[in-house]
Amino acid sequence: MLDALTFAVAAAALVLAAWCGHAAYRDQPTKDWHFIGMAVVSVLALVQMVIGFVQLGRGERPEQGTAVFVAYLIGAFAAVPAAGVLSLSERTRWGSVTVSAGAVVLAVLEVRLYDIWGG
């Protein structure tokens, strides 16, 4: 796994969490700019998922098992888009809180992916 990409995804997720958390603090729902931020973080997670699958296809194996690694890759990719969809149904400050929580979950999943791969 590319360590730099893992750290970049985690850092971008934490920036998104802080940004949406600030919006929630100001009693604002998610706005178009937040969705652009979610798209950027989601694209980074997608790139990481593709690279992970390519490395598995080349025969490289994570230390703690392939099934666990694949499950975490898919979960990491789905965390922010799922939170974004949920925030659309809650057009209050709680939508921003949902996205913030989803981004924190992604950052934690990134740390776990790093550990599973053998970092």
Side-chain angles (χ1 to χ4, degrees):
M1 235 0 226
L2 296 175
D3 293 344
L5 181 59
T6 302
F7 294 131
V9 174
L14 290 175
V15 168
L16 179 64
W19 186 23
C20 290
H22 182 68
Y25 174 76
R26 292 186 348 208
D27 201 24
Q28 295 177 346
T30 50
K31 298 188 176 172
D32 291 343
W33 290 107
H34 296 118
F35 286 100
I36 292 170
M38 285 183 261
V40 168
V41 171
S42 296
V43 166
L44 286 172
L46 176 64
V47 168
Q48 181 185 36
M49 187 172 69
V50 168
I51 289 173
F53 285 138
V54 167
Q55 286 183 325
L56 289 174
R58 290 191 326 203
E60 298 178 40
R61 296 289 174 234
E63 283 184 5
Q64 297 182 17
T66 302
V68 172
F69 179 73
V70 168
Y72 271 89
L73 271 179
I74 293 170
F77 171 69
V80 170
V85 169
L86 288 173
S87 76
L88 285 174
S89 66
E90 183 61 46
R91 299 304 296 165
T92 64
R93 71 184 298 179
W94 296 106
S96 295
V97 170
T98 302
V99 174
S100 184
V104 169
V105 166
L106 175 58
V108 171
L109 289 173
E110 290 300 317
V111 171
R112 185 69 181 119
L113 275 169
Y114 180 76
D115 288 340
I116 291 169
W117 190 260

